[in-house]
Amino acid sequence: MTFIPDAFKERYLPLVDDEDAFLASLEVLLPKSFRVNTLKSNADEVKARFAGYGITINQMPWYQEAFVSENPDIGATLEHFTGAIYMQELVSMLPPLLIREQLKDARFVLDACAAPGSKTTQLAALMDNKGVIVANDASYSRTRALKFNLEKTGTINSIITNQDLRNFPHMQFDAILVDAPCSAEGTIRKNDKLFSEWSEKSIFSQSRLQKQLITKAFELLTPGGTMIYSTCTFAPEENEAVVDWLLQSYPDAVIEPIPEMEGLKLSHPVEEWKGATFNAWVRNTRRIWPHHNNTGGFYLAKVRK
Amino acid sequence: MRGEHRRQGNEQPPQETKGMVLDYLEERFGLSPETFKGFGLYMASKGRIYLGPVRAIGSPRIVCLGITIARLSGTVKPSTNLIQLFGRQMSRNIIRLEKEEAMAYARGDDLRLAPERLDRITPGYVALNYLDVPLGCGMLKDGSIRNMLPKAKRLELKFI
Ligand SMILES: C[S@@+](CC[C@H](N)C(=O)[O-])C[C@H]1O[C@@H](n2cnc3c(N)ncnc32)[C@H](O)[C@@H]1O
């Protein structure tokens, strides 16, 4: 039984549609999921191979490259060895997917907080290794795992940079992912130590950093370009409040609606929190609650300049 | 250490080195230089050669570009990444492994194959396949194949 702090329950139970289902979902380990790496294979080939192994996999209707399996041995398949599949959480596949159209003819793409590279490798696949992806991370040690994953997946069109995004030199990108460092409350299902370090204080300090990251990233965006801001946490301070802050700083930023996806329940964002009401455009952003789709928790905002 | 790593990841190799790598890959594996059209080669520390995007950026804090395709130390040593990604376009010095051999290779073991299976293979680096799937690199010498798979990539395969 995971110990869930009272302060956590006080914060989030009022936000969910079904308290019991939400709390229960936090206790359940996530099923294994993976993405087919189209730089090396394709969904049909992988389906055929796994059928041959007798491993049951379920294809997601919202993304034909996304699969879930209860089999614990996905990591011991030939496809994992060769980089034809990449173990990745389902919700983590959403940010690149939301800019799929923009990626088709993008020349420069920035993955601003890239390590260990799940989204970078997916971006490269969606771009078919064309254009350039700058995969940046402030942590040098984390760029090693990033490098390993880019190599394994055959991500040729990438440049790894090691810089605090806030000091990133001025360049213009056609598309940007800000997969922000966050308090990661939505990952409790794969990290049962999460609550031992959880505190509201850390939420506030993450929020301050995220506000700096989102405005800096917006400045790096070409006019007409698209940016996805995402976190894997529930705290409105790190989600809606950050997008609200961007709109205060840059009132011309457009928050685009996030399209519905077949077989994936997206939820409305929080409209007010602790007495403050967010800018009405924030309503175009989306949350994913863990009990709705048997995934981790997630937040997504699509911003156009 | 950190500074050095960054500086060295972003240099164009001299024409001579570039020619040496591309010529080797063509001669040894029948891999046409056309394969790499649209990409650039870069030199990094420890003789590493990266295949990355052509349009590099000016940022001084570049750690590396693209993927490591070879390492130079007198000769050219092709990387497992290169073979896994471009193996299907290779036409020479490819050895097809049987299931048990492929599993042994993935585990990191060296291989000894019957001489008749090495008929058209010349000593040196070889590409190892299972069915039509390129697995990685080996070194054929005196009738046995040394496993060149980096430790971090080794895996006990259950499904193949
Ligand atoms: C949620 S993780 C990114 C996960 C990654 N996008 C993926 O899909 O594999 C956030 C990353 O942001 C990095 N980070 C933290 N502060 C940063 C900053 N100021 N500038 C750039 N990156 C930062 C962390 O080192 C961490 O690797």
Side-chain angles (χ1 to χ4, degrees):
Chain A
M1 205 55 191
T2 313
F3 163 74
I4 301 177
D6 286 342
F8 179 91
K9 292 185 192 159
E10 271 162 40
R11 285 172 67 87
Y12 304 128
L13 291 187
L15 302 182
V16 297
D17 53 355
D18 183 338
E19 297 184 0
D20 294 337
F22 171 67
L23 289 175
S25 77
L26 302 182
E27 308 273 347
V28 185
L29 218 60
L30 275 183
K32 281 225 175 350
S33 58
F34 65 87
R35 173 174 55 80
V36 173
N37 176 15
T38 52
L39 296 175
K40 294 198 172 186
S41 185
N42 60 64
D44 287 339
E45 198 172 89
V46 169
K47 271 159 80 172
R49 308 263 331 172
F50 278 63
Y53 300 152
I55 297 182
T56 307
I57 54 177
N58 289 318
Q59 191 168 27
M60 298 295 106
W62 49 273
Y63 188 25
Q64 66 163 5
E65 276 78 36
F67 291 86
V68 171
S69 180
E70 300 291 336
N71 193 301
D73 287 327
I74 301 288
T77 57
L78 179 66
E79 287 59 40
H80 184 241
F81 175 74
T82 60
I85 65 168
Y86 184 93
M87 307 301 288
Q88 184 175 354
E89 247 214 77
L90 287 178
V91 285
S92 152
M93 300 178 197
L94 291 168
L97 200 56
L98 289 178
I99 50 168
R100 189 177 205 160
E101 285 309 310
Q102 286 84 353
L103 291 174
K104 283 193 176 132
D105 46 24
R107 292 166 61 238
F108 278 102
V109 175
L110 174 65
D111 192 351
C113 306
S118 305
K119 296 172 190 76
T120 316
T121 59
Q122 187 185 355
L123 287 169
L126 292 168
M127 295 165 79
D128 199 19
N129 256 335
K130 309 250 165 38
V132 179
I133 306 171
V134 176
N136 178 67
D137 204 280
S139 156
Y140 180 75
S141 63
R142 287 177 61 96
T143 63
R144 296 184 157 261
L146 175 59
K147 172 75 170 158
F148 181 85
N149 287 325
L150 298 190
E151 298 252 7
K152 181 160 181 172
T153 50
T155 299
I156 307 175
N157 66 339
S158 60
I159 301 177
I160 296 181
T161 60
N162 171 218
Q163 191 135 29
D164 188 320
L165 182 71
R166 293 170 292 180
N167 306 325
F168 204 86
H170 194 72
M171 292 179 57
Q172 297 273 278
F173 293 95
D174 306 315
I176 299 181
L177 295 188
V178 182
D179 190 36
C182 66
S183 58
E185 293 162 334
T187 65
I188 172 73
R189 301 181 60 180
K190 53 175 190 184
N191 174 15
D192 56 11
K193 292 188 189 62
L194 188 99
F195 282 129
S196 60
E197 283 149 41
W198 182 85
S199 76
E200 286 202 303
K201 204 167 141 223
S202 91
I203 290 176
F204 302 145
S205 81
Q206 295 286 9
S207 174
R208 276 191 297 277
L209 171 61
Q210 289 152 347
K211 287 173 180 172
Q212 295 173 326
L213 297 179
I214 201 173
T215 47
K216 173 67 187 196
F218 190 74
E219 289 158 13
L220 294 172
L221 203 57
T222 316
T226 306
M227 157 167 100
I228 303 292
Y229 174 82
S230 57
T231 73
C232 52
T233 209
F234 306 124
E237 291 88 342
E238 302 184 55
N239 296 328
E240 290 86 351
V242 175
V243 178
D244 183 80
W245 169 265
L246 174 69
L247 287 164
Q248 281 178 42
S249 316
Y250 289 100
D252 54 337
V254 179
I255 311 302
E256 300 214 308
I258 291 176
E260 307 225 333
M261 271 174 266
E262 192 191 338
L264 188 75
K265 183 173 158 76
L266 304 173
S267 301
H268 285 276
V270 174
E271 293 185 13
E272 46 178 62
W273 181 249
K274 300 201 171 164
T277 304
F278 298 126
N279 185 310
W281 285 110
V282 175
R283 289 180 206 156
N284 274 347
T285 68
R286 288 291 177 267
R287 283 178 166 252
I288 293 175
W289 293 103
H291 57 294
H292 286 164
N293 309 282
N294 198 15
T295 62
F298 216 66
Y299 175 78
L300 292 157
K302 184 174 182 181
V303 183
R304 198 161 50 81
K305 189 162 176 174
Chain B
M1 177 63 203
R2 288 170 57 148
E4 179 192 44
H5 199 271
R6 283 186 193 119
R7 248 197 335 276
Q8 293 191 351
N10 192 22
E11 285 161 21
Q12 308 269 343
Q15 206 53 42
E16 203 182 307
T17 311
K18 196 174 156 181
M20 180 174 146
V21 174
L22 294 180
D23 287 354
Y24 171 84
L25 294 177
E26 183 160 35
E27 271 174 48
R28 179 84 198 154
F29 297 108
L31 199 58
S32 149
E34 285 291 297
T35 316
F36 307 120
K37 227 178 111 190
F39 296 107
L41 295 186
Y42 301 89
M43 281 223 299
S45 59
K46 298 187 190 151
R48 270 191 290 255
I49 302 287
Y50 295 149
L51 177 71
V54 173
R55 257 182 316 220
I57 57 164
S59 169
R61 307 197 43 125
I62 291 179
V63 178
C64 56
L65 294 97
I67 67 169
T68 312
I69 57 158
R71 191 174 276 211
L72 300 180
S73 55
T75 58
V76 182
K77 177 198 171 296
S79 73
T80 288
N81 300 313
L82 172 89
I83 290 172
Q84 287 191 346
L85 195 58
F86 295 108
R88 285 190 168 97
Q89 282 138 271
M90 294 178 173
S91 54
R92 286 200 282 280
N93 288 307
I94 302 169
I95 301 176
R96 278 188 158 226
L97 300 179
E98 301 294 328
K99 187 170 173 172
E100 291 302 320
E101 296 162 348
M103 291 174 77
Y105 175 74
R107 190 184 302 132
D109 295 350
D110 294 340
L111 303 168
R112 183 161 270 286
L113 304 182
E116 59 271 21
R117 291 178 59 195
L118 304 171
D119 254 1
R120 284 156 43 211
I121 316 285
T122 54
Y125 292 110
V126 290
L128 301 170
N129 281 12
Y130 173 65
L131 305 173
D132 61 342
V133 182
L135 301 179
C137 182
M139 169 72 168
L140 175 65
K141 202 181 163 204
D142 304 327
S144 73
I145 298 169
R146 205 163 94 222
N147 199 312
M148 303 303 291
L149 197 62
K151 284 211 173 60
K153 283 194 194 291
R154 294 182 185 177
L155 201 61
E156 190 65 50
L157 292 177
K158 292 192 188 152
F159 296 98
I160 169 168

